[in-house]
Amino acid sequence: MSSEIELNAAAARGARAEALLRNELLTDAFATLEQAYIAKWRTTTVDDVAAREKLFLAVNIVGKVQDHLASVVEDGKLAAAELRQITEAAERQKAWHEVR
């Protein structure tokens, strides 16, 4: 089990990542970069293998950044759920002691 401090940090990090993924400026930047790389890839000549490979990598890196942010969001949601479970368990324990 992770410490509550680590869980709080992960939950906060996930919330920040989610805000980034919802940020119109950042989503537009991702889309613009991907479209530009694909457009440049389409204009490469048959013998320009190196340029195509670089553009292929560039397109994939944009996707990997998005995937990483999505992963951080999911990790944050899991941390928040674990924090809720800890809180609920503590409240049940407290209620049990009050009944006794």
Side-chain angles (χ1 to χ4, degrees):
M1 178 193 305
S2 299
S3 76
E4 288 184 49
I5 293 170
E6 292 169 334
L7 292 171
N8 278 314
R13 189 170 185 244
R16 289 192 312 271
E18 188 169 19
L20 286 172
L21 286 174
R22 290 183 179 178
N23 183 292
E24 185 179 333
L25 184 60
L26 186 61
T27 58
D28 286 348
F30 285 145
T32 300
L33 283 171
E34 188 171 358
Q35 290 169 2
Y37 295 147
I38 290 170
K40 285 184 181 190
W41 167 77
R42 287 184 175 155
T43 63
T44 59
T45 61
V46 173
D47 353 344
D48 203 354
V49 175
R52 277 194 306 279
E53 287 179 2
K54 287 179 183 176
L55 291 165
F56 173 81
L57 289 172
V59 168
N60 282 306
I61 288 170
V62 171
K64 287 190 180 296
V65 170
Q66 291 170 313
D67 291 346
H68 175 73
L69 289 172
S71 176
V72 171
V73 169
E74 290 307 311
D75 289 347
K77 288 179 181 179
L78 290 172
E82 192 171 339
L83 282 168
R84 279 192 300 277
Q85 288 177 342
I86 290 170
T87 301
E88 290 168 2
E91 289 172 356
R92 283 192 302 273
Q93 185 75 13
K94 182 180 175 185
W96 173 252
H97 286 298
E98 289 173 359
V99 170
R100 292 174 58 189

